[in-house]
Amino acid sequence: MNKTVSLIVPTYNEYDNIVPLVERIHRALSPHNYEILFIDDDSADGTAELASSLSAKYPVRVIVRKDKRGLASAVVDGLSQASGDVIAVIDADLQHPPEVLPDLLEAIEKDADIAVASRYVAGGGCQGWSLTRRIMSKVAIIIAHLLLPATRKVSDPMSGFFVFRKGVVSNARLNPSGFKILLEILMIGKFNRVAEVPFIFVTRERGESKLSARQQIDYLKHVYSLMRRTGELLRFIKFCLVGGSGVVVNYGLYWILTRFAGFTPLNDMATGGIISGNLALCISIEISIITNFILNNYLTFADRNVRGLKAFFSRLLNFNLICLIGGLIQIGIANLLTVIIGVYDLISILIAIAVATLWNYLLNSWWTWKS
Ligand code: GDD
Ligand code: MN
């Protein structure tokens, strides 16, 4: 790579890792033009002083922040200081092996805008993780994939080890209070191709991790904030409003068909209401599914719309299928809560509708209107 690579390394009390880190980075990147930017939050153990002393021998710069704390905000501050066209983010504690950097840079040189070191592609992994930690990591990824569509291209959107072209974020307003900086870049940045390179997240040998349980709540807050900032929340609200309009169509049409159009109401069993009334119900359900589909296609998912009649009908089919399953879920939950557990029907139906709406939304967003 003939471009300069700026490595951003956030540090907080990493004294024992600095020298081996810089040596290993240098060995991995010596054929490249590179700079290392340490963003240190005024560590008490002398991290910044030690790093500065290395600048005589290596292309190292140290920025000490006295009034701020936080990994993601350190990376954002590092970005504004970076002189390279290609940016790499790597932890200081050697859990991210610097030897992976050349592979990441190669992916960028080829055609990728972002190259992520991933634990979840073939050849990647985590060393010494408990089952609980593994599950939590997977759950966090599932949440991101479901609610933040742009992260679906990446198997490990929680990775803190990645490389990207500076242009990806040049117009992005990154929110440094967010914790997972890669999530921000994937959701707010502008890019076409993302590549993934496997890596093993090795155990920390020196110093201590700074992550705590609070970060799990912060993670959910961050996902919510990204949904709000990128319009994904608005999309969900539109979906619910369209769903509400579908209820009106469904109910209103049944009323019109059975009161004015010659169908027999469901409760007039003596005069054939069971067949004619159910037919009217089926027609009004199907028509409400179609009106919902059209509104969602041109309103909720307008940005993911494709032209062509074939695509239109195949999406309509997907939507129908998912809503059908959603209907069954609704009936199942309502019956479970009311008939088996004894919950008041108007409460259980409300819960059932909420779950079915979420199901319809997630599945349709993920399948019918793939991004
Ligand atoms: N400047 C600064 N300020 N740096 C910090 C701060 C801070 O408040 N907190 C942590 N760091 C630095 C650490 O010194 C280390 O270099 C790096 O950020 C990662 O911190 P760890 O405490 O080692 O985090 P972790 O190992 O639990 O989590 C890492 O791996 C995860 C999985 O790949 C992070 O990279 C996460 O972002 C990543 O999701
Ligand atoms: Mn670590």
Side-chain angles (χ1 to χ4, degrees):
M1 165 124 6
N2 42 27
K3 295 190 171 99
T4 303
V5 184
S6 295
L7 285 105
I8 298 180
V9 189
T11 53
Y12 191 68
N13 293 340
E14 299 288 358
Y15 187 91
D16 293 327
N17 290 312
I18 298 301
V19 172
L21 175 77
V22 171
E23 283 172 352
R24 281 173 63 181
I25 289 177
H26 184 71
R27 235 173 288 140
L29 292 188
S30 52
H32 298 271
N33 247 330
Y34 77 94
E35 62 169 355
I36 304 179
L37 274 177
F38 282 103
I39 317 294
D40 186 70
D41 288 358
D42 210 15
S43 301
D45 68 349
T47 298
E49 294 75 9
L50 177 62
S52 298
S53 74
L54 295 176
S55 61
K57 201 171 163 203
Y58 300 100
V60 167
R61 276 199 284 153
V62 183
I63 293 147
V64 178
R65 308 192 306 168
K66 297 219 186 265
D67 49 348
K68 280 197 220 166
R69 265 288 321 258
L71 191 149
S73 78
V75 174
V76 173
D77 283 352
L79 265 172
S80 64
Q81 301 288 324
S83 61
D85 297 314
V86 173
I87 311 288
V89 178
I90 182 169
D91 287 351
D93 58 1
L94 296 168
Q95 292 197 275
H96 297 159
E99 292 69 29
V100 178
L101 283 165
D103 294 346
L104 291 166
L105 292 175
E106 201 189 302
I108 297 283
E109 195 148 33
K110 243 169 104 192
D111 62 349
D113 299 305
I114 305 176
V116 179
S118 168
R119 295 162 288 181
Y120 300 111
V121 289
C126 302
Q127 209 178 60
W129 273 24
S130 65
L131 185 66
T132 330
R133 179 126 196 230
R134 273 173 209 279
I135 292 174
M136 298 230 294
S137 168
K138 285 276 187 203
V139 169
I141 293 173
I142 291 171
I143 292 175
H145 282 172
L146 283 176
L147 299 174
L148 305 171
T151 67
R152 290 173 199 159
K153 296 178 182 141
V154 180
S155 66
D156 193 358
M158 305 302 139
S159 176
F161 188 14
F162 53 94
V163 177
F164 58 99
R165 296 174 196 272
K166 203 178 191 180
V168 170
V169 296
S170 51
N171 292 315
R173 292 238 314 263
L174 300 175
N175 176 5
S177 75
F179 179 69
K180 298 289 181 185
I181 190 68
L182 178 58
L183 275 190
E184 282 283 318
I185 293 173
L186 291 173
M187 289 302 292
I188 313 268
K190 293 269 170 289
F191 58 91
N192 290 316
R193 231 187 77 71
V194 187
E196 292 194 273
V197 169
F199 91 106
I200 310 260
F201 188 77
V202 295
T203 38
R204 193 190 246 275
E205 286 178 7
R206 307 174 201 87
E208 278 164 27
S209 169
K210 282 92 207 169
L211 298 192
S212 62
R214 234 197 76 188
Q215 260 91 40
Q216 282 149 27
I217 310 264
D218 285 353
Y219 172 64
L220 294 180
K221 282 194 199 154
H222 188 201
V223 170
Y224 176 79
S225 140
L226 277 170
M227 284 182 77
R228 207 168 37 78
R229 283 181 284 142
T230 56
E232 288 304 315
L233 195 67
L234 189 67
R235 194 199 292 285
F236 182 62
I237 292 170
K238 282 184 191 166
F239 189 87
C240 291
L241 289 177
V242 169
S245 82
V247 173
V248 174
V249 171
N250 185 344
Y251 199 64
L253 212 60
Y254 172 80
W255 179 69
I256 291 171
L257 288 176
T258 53
R259 302 305 186 270
F260 306 103
F263 284 84
T264 315
L266 197 57
N267 52 334
D268 283 351
M269 280 182 273
T271 51
I274 294 199
I275 291 174
S276 179
N278 267 307
L279 195 62
L281 194 59
C282 287
I283 292 171
S284 50
I285 288 174
E286 185 55 34
I287 288 185
S288 73
I289 288 180
I290 292 172
T291 56
N292 270 10
F293 175 78
I294 291 171
L295 287 173
N296 277 326
N297 200 45
Y298 295 108
L299 215 72
T300 318
F301 294 100
D303 57 327
R304 298 193 206 160
N305 219 335
V306 285
R307 282 166 200 283
L309 224 55
K310 208 176 141 221
F312 183 90
F313 281 107
S314 106
R315 283 183 166 188
L316 180 58
L317 201 72
N318 284 355
F319 184 74
N320 240 315
L321 197 69
I322 287 162
C323 292
L324 203 74
I325 300 174
L328 292 177
I329 289 177
Q330 190 176 326
I331 291 169
I333 291 177
N335 278 283
L336 174 81
L337 291 179
T338 298
V339 180
I340 300 181
I341 305 179
V343 179
Y344 182 56
D345 64 343
L346 291 185
I347 291 177
S348 71
I349 287 173
L350 210 62
I351 296 171
I353 289 176
V355 176
T357 303
L358 199 64
W359 157 271
N360 285 341
Y361 178 70
L362 292 179
L363 262 282
N364 281 309
S365 151
W366 172 73
W367 190 35
T368 312
W369 286 280
K370 274 191 224 55
S371 64

